[in-house]
């Protein structure tokens, strides 16, 4: 069985690449269905891109690598594709676009495009051996039972990273990279909740509040969620991509104008209990928890401007050091991956092996929460497809 192109990994990037290839294409995946991460994403509605996709919303050791692919196939291009297939969608918040009905609409669209191209899809099939022939122009793929041997002129690796291993995620792409002499940057879970070994937030598990959160990177202003394990919510997941083990994370949970509002209320109702008034600005259970960290005793009239200012400053610069994260088990993506210095930014091909391509999450390009990583899958998949078609 010979093919022009073989793609290993039927996720977002692999399906996108296959859907736009000419020639005889084989798409292989060990899962029982293609696009499983698409199916579960966005609560089953797939946050398929972001209106504000920009290179600055991605983390990469080489901050320029991803610019080419993102510029040549943009969020507007994918939206046009979605519209052409009459998939209804809506903007939720911060430019995040979701399917109106189901993530399965995106999967069905990709299946339709692949069918039109005559792509051969092999599911529940794993590859045990991969070799390149002496001429360096074709690859041989063999299944574990030895029953099937397939040859391809070009090979695309689209198997993702290590996040969510229960869905079959593994370091397969990194093993293939090493086999062919490509480097892999350090990998770790990203877009993942923080954990604290002492269970310090167990008593307020389920409490959510708007916050500004940052580690060693941008400040993210979204929801913060306290859990029995630690901290979660969009703001925390975003900050986790910039966090390193042992480093602090900073929370700002003081609403804008809280200091001025408390001063004003002190004049109108100074005899009221301070924690009661603070609960007008923050969740009551969170205020109870904060009472164990700050001296919140007394009535409003007992609080001087200096004391109020000190509390607000403390809530704006709440420094915490997580014990770790929940790991790949719940991480939405893997940070790090195939070293981009070993890849061509326009084609996604390995510089030392022009017939070998790496796309999607396997590459050292990680987007923010909110559709950015799907856009990288579409853009990098298209970059590889365009180069393969040109060849």
């Amino acid at each position: 069985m010979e093919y022009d192109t073989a793609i290993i990994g039927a996720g977002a990037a692999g399906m996108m690449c296959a859907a736009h290839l000419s020639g005889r294409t084989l798409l292989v995946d060990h899962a029982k269905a293609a696009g499983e991460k698409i199916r579960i994403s966005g609560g089953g509605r797939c946050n398929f891109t972001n209106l504000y996709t920009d290179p600055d919303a991605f983390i990469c050791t080489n901050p320029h690598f991803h610019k080419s692919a993102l510029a040549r196939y943009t969020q507007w291009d994918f939206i046009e594709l979605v519209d052409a297939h009459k998939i209804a969608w809506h903007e939720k918040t911060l430019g995040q676009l979701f399917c109106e009905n189901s993530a399965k609409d995106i999967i069905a669209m990709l299946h339709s495009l692949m069918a039109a191209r005559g792509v051969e899809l092999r599911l529940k099939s794993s590859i045990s051996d991969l070799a390149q022939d002496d001429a360096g122009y074709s690859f041989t793929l063999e299944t574990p039972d030895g029953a099937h041997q397939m040859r391809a002129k070009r090979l695309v690796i689209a198997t993702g990273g290590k996040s969510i291993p229960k869905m079959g995620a593994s370091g397969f792409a990194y093993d293939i990279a090493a086999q062919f002499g490509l480097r892999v940057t350090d990998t770790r879970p990203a877009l993942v909740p923080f954990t604290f070994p002492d269970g310090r937030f167990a008593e307020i598990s389920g409490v959510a509040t708007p916050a500004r959160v940052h580690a060693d990177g941008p400040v993210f202003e979204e929801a913060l969620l306290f859990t029995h394990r630690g901290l979660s919510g969009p703001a925390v997941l975003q900050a986790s991509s910039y966090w390193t083990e042992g480093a602090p994370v900073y929370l700002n949970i003081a609403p804008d104008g809280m200091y001025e509002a408390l001063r004003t209320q002190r004049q109108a109702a100074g005899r009221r209990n301070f924690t009661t008034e603070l609960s007008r600005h923050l969740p009551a259970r969170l205020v109870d928890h904060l009472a164990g960290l700050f001296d919140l005793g007394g009535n409003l009239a007992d609080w001087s401007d200096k004391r109020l200012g000190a509390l607000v400053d403390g809530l704006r610069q709440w420094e915490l050091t997580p014990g770790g994260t929940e790991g790949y088990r719940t991480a939405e993506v893997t940070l790090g991956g195939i070293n981009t210095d070993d890849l061509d930014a326009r084609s996604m091909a390995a510089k030392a092996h022009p017939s070998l391509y790496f796309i999607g999450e396997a590459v050292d390009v990680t987007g923010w929460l909110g559709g950015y990583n799907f856009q990288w899958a579409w853009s990098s998949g298209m970059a590889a497809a365009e180069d393969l078609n040109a060849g």
Side-chain angles (χ1 to χ4, degrees), residues 2 57 114 132 192 198 208 230 253 282 286 336 340:
E2 296 186 349
M114 290 194 301
Q132 190 172 26
V192 62
D198 55 6
I253 60 171
L282 295 169
L286 176 56
T340 55

Side-chain angles (χ1 to χ4, degrees), residues 71-334:
R72 288 183 293 121
Y73 191 83
T74 71
Q75 64 271 37
W76 310 112
D77 294 315
F78 193 76
I79 292 169
E80 183 179 355
L81 182 64
V82 169
D83 286 343
H85 284 77
K86 296 180 170 50
I87 298 174
W89 53 269
H90 64 276
E91 180 184 356
K92 188 174 181 180
T93 183
L94 300 174
Q96 302 170 18
L97 302 191
F98 289 78
C99 295
E100 190 70 37
N101 299 311
S102 169
K104 293 179 182 178
D105 292 340
I106 299 293
I107 299 173
M109 176 188 75
L110 294 171
H111 272 297
S112 175
L113 290 169
M114 290 194 301
R117 293 276 185 169
V119 174
E120 182 178 334
L121 176 61
R122 284 179 176 267
L123 296 171
K124 295 187 285 188
S125 299
S126 57
I127 302 300
S128 62
D129 189 47
L130 178 64
Q132 190 172 26
D133 70 12
D134 294 337
Y137 294 115
S138 61
F139 296 86
T140 300
L141 298 78
E142 188 169 312
T143 57
D145 57 8
H148 297 93
Q149 191 176 77
M150 298 151 283
R151 291 171 59 82
K153 295 177 182 178
R154 290 87 54 93
L155 179 66
V156 181
I157 305 298
T159 53
K162 299 178 180 179
S163 58
I164 317 184
K166 71 179 182 180
M167 297 192 69
S170 70
F172 179 84
Y174 314 139
D175 294 338
I176 299 303
Q179 179 180 339
F180 289 94
L182 279 73
R183 295 166 293 177
V184 177
T185 65
D186 290 340
T187 59
R188 61 181 175 83
L191 298 181
V192 62
F194 290 126
T195 59
F196 292 80
D198 55 6
R200 72 182 67 179
F201 301 119
E203 65 179 15
I204 55 171
S205 177
V207 172
T209 188
R212 296 182 178 94
V213 182
H214 72 98
D216 187 20
V219 176
F220 294 98
E221 185 174 0
E222 294 186 70
L224 162 69
L225 174 67
F226 296 94
T227 74
H228 67 286
R229 292 178 180 271
L231 299 175
S232 189
V236 167
L237 299 186
Q238 297 277 40
S240 73
S241 295
Y242 296 87
W243 180 79
T244 53
E245 189 172 354
V249 59
Y250 301 91
L251 313 182
N252 176 355
I253 60 171
D256 291 339
M258 186 175 81
Y259 172 77
E260 292 78 7
L262 288 172
R263 288 183 73 241
T264 300
Q265 192 62 12
R266 183 180 60 192
Q267 300 301 318
R271 293 185 179 181
R272 289 184 180 175
N273 182 276
F274 181 76
T275 55
T276 300
E277 290 305 304
L278 188 59
S279 295
R280 296 173 61 182
H281 303 276
L282 295 169
R285 287 174 60 200
L286 176 56
V287 172
D288 290 342
H289 178 80
L290 293 172
L293 305 175
F294 300 91
D295 177 12
L296 303 183
N299 297 326
L300 265 175
D302 301 325
W303 283 69
S304 64
D305 286 354
K306 181 178 180 180
R307 188 181 177 189
L308 277 176
L311 172 64
V312 172
D313 287 344
L315 297 180
R316 286 176 177 167
Q317 303 174 54
W318 189 5
E319 179 180 330
L320 296 166
T321 301
T325 71
E326 292 190 4
Y328 291 116
R329 181 181 64 84
T330 60
E332 297 207 14
V333 292
T334 300

